[in-house]
Each structure stands twice: as C-alpha cells, then as structure tokens.
C-alpha cells in the first residue's frame, strides 16, 4: 500500500489528570490552575502509521476538559474522519467543522494527531509539513503568581527548573499587583525579563493606573490588560509605551482580523488549542506577519505532546517574537509527563525535535492504553 493514500481506520482517546508542581501553581484573574483534566488522542491509518495529539483544555479558561472532549470526539469527530484519507489535513478539518460547532480545543487535539500522522507518513518533522522551518529553538518563560513567601517559593521553583524569563499574574488589585511585581523584580534582579498578564482583569482606567505604578519595575510587556471584547481599551493601552499582547481577545482568524483592523495589539498570542486546527494557527501566524503584528505561543498548561505541537508551530511561524518568550512549559510544569523522553527544553529555550512528526514518543504504558481504546471502523 502507498502510505500517502492511506485512510484513517481508528481514533482512540485516554483521559489523564496531571497535577501541577505545588510550587508552580498559577493563580490569576481567571482562577487557579493546579491540575489539568486533559485527553490524549491517537489516530491510526490503514498503513499502520500512528499520530498523537493532546486536548489541553480547562473548564475555567476554555470551557472544555477531558470529559467534554471525549464525548464530542466519540460522537462527532471520529465519525467525521474515520474512513477518510490522511492526506490533506485541511479537508479533514472541514469535515470536523461540519460535524461539530465550537469545541476548538477538542478539535485541536484531533488535528494535532492527524498532522502528526501525516508528517510521519511524509517522513518529515511536523514544522516542515506545516510550511517550513524558520528556527530550531524558541525562548520560553514561566508564570509567577502569589504574594509574599508564596511568590518566593514559585520563583525559586521556576529558576530551579531553568527559567530565566517570567510573566507576573496581575489584573486583580492594583496595589497588591504592584507589590507582587516589585517583589518579583527584586527576586529576579535588574536584568531579567518580566512581563505582565492581567487576563483581562482590569477596567481601562485601572489598567492605565496600574501601568503607571508598574513602570519603576520595568515590565517588558502587558498581556490582555482589559476585557477581551474591549479592543478600544486595548488600543488605548498601546499608546502608553509598552508592547500589548492580545490573548483572550484572539481565538480564531476572525478575532485576529478584528484585532488588526482595530490596531489593538502589538503581539497576538496564538494557541494550538484556540485555533482549532494546526493549519489555521499557521494561517493566523501568516496573517499577523502580513500586517506587522508579531506572535508568541500561548499556553493552557500543555503536557509533552501539546508542548511538542507548540514548538513545531512556533518554529514554523514566520513572525514569532523572539524578544518576548513564548509560554511553552511542558513537563517542567507537572509532577509527571506523558513522554518517554522529555522534550528538549531547559527552561530558557525549547528545541525542535528532528524526528518525523511531532518527534516525540509517548510513555509505553500510555501508548498501550490508547491502543486498547481503539474506536475502529466496522
């Protein structure tokens, strides 16, 4: 059989709930992230090629988790793609959209598995299959939250993992946020990169007042200072001299178009999960580049498979902002990972695997569980 003409014969999933390392638990304006109810996804083709993905979703942020993702994959997405050719992942994306409205993170997990299988079929790294490799390593950062001794613990855990660039969670109370940033600056020293992430928690007036109070601590950027729908407020923040990153304001290509027309951000945070499909995330990166908007890779606390997908996307993106590290944390964030061998990352950078597809392997125990859970075409 010509492997490039192979069809998808099975889709299987397996839920996993990793626990965040206690010292790295993130508390922000949208709640606390101390564990993740994720879903691993496996695609099998008629040529025997496997592809893997990860649904990296949390109810408090994306409105999805392993339970919702498992149901829609079983009842809609698997049925839409089983029996279809693996070649042309974008065609499979259209079939999934026709079968299911919304649920971008569930779709992204399946899309990653499809692209992984397709790149393995072509015997090339996923970044190459996405259009080409612009870089082979990506700078990364870690989120800091908490106050007083708790912030100290988080910082020391992050630096022990190798991180040297950070973003501080703000957007709750201007005075306590200012104190938190000052403490982070004292801990990190005068030269470390420290940005701000408000998760849309401020009103425009609060954001402007906060930025004035933050300036002595020399933040490097301001991520989502006001509510996602307030593009006028985002544009106003750009006039205050600090790069503005749009995160919750940008899920899909339509959001990005509105952001560009409103001139509401300097940088767009692109996620594998938010975009639904890897090829659409790449389209967002190309669209941003065409209008001189830079991109960073945002995070929903991905595990190793999700972090590998982030890395390939970042290395294929033409307008990645190398001055603002991306949020690729992978195994460094959890008590355990899903990969047999960790993604090559040291806390400062993550490197592009050079093997076909995602270039990583699942732990044998998890692989066996996925294989036993096949929903095969009958």
């Amino acid at each position: 059989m010509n492997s490039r003409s192979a069809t998808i014969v099975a889709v299987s999933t397996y839920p996993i709930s990793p626990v965040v390392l206690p010292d790295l638990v993130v508390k922000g304006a949208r709640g606390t992230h101390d564990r993740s109810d994720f879903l691993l996804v496996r695609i099998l083709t008629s040529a025997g090629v496997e592809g893997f993905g990860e649904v990296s979703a949390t109810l408090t942020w994306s409105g999805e988790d392993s339970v919702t993702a498992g149901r829609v994959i079983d009842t809609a997405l698997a049925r839409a793609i089983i029996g279809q050719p693996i070649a042309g992942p974008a065609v499979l994306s259209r079939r999934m959209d026709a079968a299911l409205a919304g649920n971008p993170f569930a779709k992204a997990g399946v899309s990653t598995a499809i692209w992984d299988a397709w790149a393995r079929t072509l015997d090339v790294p996923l970044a190459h299959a996405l259009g080409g490799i612009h870089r082979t390593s990506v700078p990364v950062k870690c989120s800091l939250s908490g106050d007083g001794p708790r912030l100290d613990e988080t910082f020391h855990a992050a630096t022990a993992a190798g991180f040297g660039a950070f973003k501080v969670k703000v957007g709750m109370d201007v005075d306590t946020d200012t104190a938190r940033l000052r403490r982070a600056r004292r801990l990190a020293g005068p030269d470390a990169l420290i940005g701000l992430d408000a998760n849309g928690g401020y009103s425009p007036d609060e954001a402007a007042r906060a930025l004035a109070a933050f300036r002595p601590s020399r933040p490097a950027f301001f991520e989502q200072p006001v509510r996602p729908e307030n593009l006028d407020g985002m544009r106003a923040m750009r006039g205050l001299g600090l790069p503005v990153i749009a995160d919750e304001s940008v899920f899909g290509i339509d959001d990005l178009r509105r952001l560009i027309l409103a001139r509401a951000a300097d940088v767009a945070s692109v996620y594998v999960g938010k975009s639904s499909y890897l090829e659409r995330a790449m389209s967002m990166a190309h669209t941003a580049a065409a209008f001189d908007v830079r991109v960073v890779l945002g995070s929903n606390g991905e595990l190793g498979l999700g972090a590998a997908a982030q890395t390939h996307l970042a290395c294929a993106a033409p307008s990645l902002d190398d001055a603002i590290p991306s949020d690729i944390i992978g195994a460094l964030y959890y008590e355990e990972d899903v990969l047999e061998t960790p993604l090559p990352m040291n806390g400062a950078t993550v490197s592009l695997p050079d093997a076909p597809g995602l270039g990583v392997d699942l732990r044998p125990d998890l692989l066996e569980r996925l294989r036993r859970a096949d929903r095969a075409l009958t």
Side-chain angles (χ1 to χ4, degrees):
M1 173 187 294
N2 182 348
S3 60
R4 296 189 184 189
S5 63
T7 59
I8 296 173
V9 298
V11 178
S12 57
T13 63
Y14 182 75
I16 185 167
S17 298
V19 176
V20 176
L21 288 165
D23 289 340
L24 291 180
V25 168
V26 174
K27 298 180 180 180
R30 297 186 68 91
T32 298
H33 189 169
D34 58 0
R35 64 178 290 129
S36 299
D37 294 316
F38 288 172
L39 196 71
L40 305 181
V41 181
R42 170 181 172 262
I43 296 291
L44 176 67
T45 76
S46 56
V49 176
E50 295 174 300
F52 300 93
E54 174 189 309
V55 181
S56 313
T58 52
L59 288 174
T60 56
W61 197 91
S62 58
E64 302 176 68
D65 66 1
S66 60
V67 176
T68 64
R71 181 177 183 278
V72 299
I73 290 172
D74 285 349
T75 60
L77 301 182
R79 296 178 184 181
I81 62 174
I82 286 178
Q84 300 300 311
I86 189 65
V91 176
L92 297 172
S93 299
R94 289 194 291 272
R95 290 186 63 86
M96 287 192 282
D97 272 344
L100 176 68
N103 295 92
F105 283 79
K107 290 173 176 174
V110 178
S111 173
T112 298
I114 291 170
W115 273 99
D116 184 32
W118 177 232
R120 289 174 189 264
T121 298
L122 298 176
D123 197 31
V124 297
L126 176 56
H128 183 87
L130 287 171
I133 298 173
H134 287 266
R135 61 195 63 80
T136 57
S137 66
V138 181
V140 296
K141 63 182 181 294
C142 184
S143 293
L144 301 178
S145 61
D147 296 301
R150 170 61 190 169
L151 179 65
D152 297 2
E153 293 170 2
T154 303
F155 172 78
H156 292 308
T159 54
F163 288 105
F166 313 94
K167 68 177 180 183
V168 174
K169 289 292 185 178
V170 295
M172 291 159 279
D173 173 80
V174 173
D175 292 335
T176 55
D177 291 345
T178 302
R180 184 180 312 112
L181 176 59
R182 286 174 180 165
R183 192 177 187 107
R185 175 54 73 193
R186 287 197 300 270
L187 288 166
D191 299 325
L193 183 145
I194 301 179
L196 310 167
D197 185 5
N199 292 115
Y202 290 135
S203 69
D205 288 343
E206 288 172 331
R209 181 165 69 89
L211 183 54
F214 294 156
R215 283 194 185 281
S217 296
R218 297 184 294 109
F221 60 84
F222 207 165
E223 182 173 331
Q224 201 62 52
V226 300
R227 290 186 60 82
E229 67 275 11
N230 189 354
L231 297 185
D232 290 339
M234 294 282 285
R235 182 175 62 249
M237 291 303 299
R238 289 188 70 198
L240 300 181
L242 200 65
V244 172
I245 301 177
D247 182 0
E248 287 88 346
S249 291
V250 183
F251 269 67
I253 191 71
D254 290 340
D255 291 337
L256 179 60
R257 183 178 67 250
R258 286 188 286 268
L259 186 86
I260 290 170
L261 290 174
R263 299 180 180 178
D266 301 284
V267 184
S269 183
V270 176
Y271 286 41
V272 174
K274 287 194 303 185
S275 59
S276 296
Y277 305 109
L278 278 172
E279 73 275 9
R280 294 186 189 174
M282 277 302 304
S283 293
M284 292 175 67
H286 283 288
T287 299
F291 290 92
D292 295 322
V293 175
R294 304 184 302 279
V295 300
V296 294
L297 263 290
S299 173
N300 200 40
E302 289 78 3
L303 283 159
L305 283 175
Q310 289 176 295
T311 303
H312 282 272
L313 179 60
C315 288
S319 60
L320 188 78
D321 193 326
D322 293 322
I324 298 178
S326 289
D327 298 330
I328 304 174
I329 50 181
L332 299 179
Y333 189 53
Y334 294 99
E335 292 185 349
E336 63 175 346
D337 192 26
V338 297
L339 300 183
E340 183 175 16
T341 301
L343 195 66
M345 60 189 307
N346 57 18
T349 60
V350 56
S351 298
L352 182 70
D354 59 5
L358 288 172
V360 295
D361 296 309
L362 269 179
R363 285 175 10 209
D365 60 313
L366 296 174
L367 179 58
E368 179 59 27
R369 289 168 186 168
L370 276 168
R371 287 172 173 168
R372 287 203 305 261
D374 276 348
R375 277 77 168 169
L377 180 64
T378 57

